[in-house]
Amino acid sequence: MAKQKRGKVLKLEKNWRGTCPLCNRTRVKLAWPENSSKNARKVCKACYARGRRP
């Protein structure tokens, strides 16, 4: 069964899709903070996962 509310909260946020500042990929979702600081810039999912690796 399809999920009706998938991504609804994300799409309400301004600038949720764009170019990642780290890897320069275009047209990706920018929903993850680069680090835990309050004014962290948003990065793509791949860069977020790469930064969290031990």
Side-chain angles (χ1 to χ4, degrees), residues 8-51:
K8 185 177 180 182
V9 174
L10 179 66
K11 292 176 183 174
L12 292 176
E13 188 176 325
K14 291 183 178 182
N15 300 327
W16 66 279
R17 189 177 285 269
T19 303
C20 179
L22 296 181
C23 64
N24 293 322
R25 281 189 192 168
T26 58
R27 298 176 55 204
V28 293
K29 293 179 193 172
L30 303 173
W32 297 271
E34 185 179 13
N35 51 31
S36 60
S37 69
K38 191 171 187 177
N39 294 330
R41 58 186 176 175
K42 302 280 184 155
V43 296
C44 68
K45 188 175 185 179
C47 291
Y48 177 75
R50 209 173 303 129

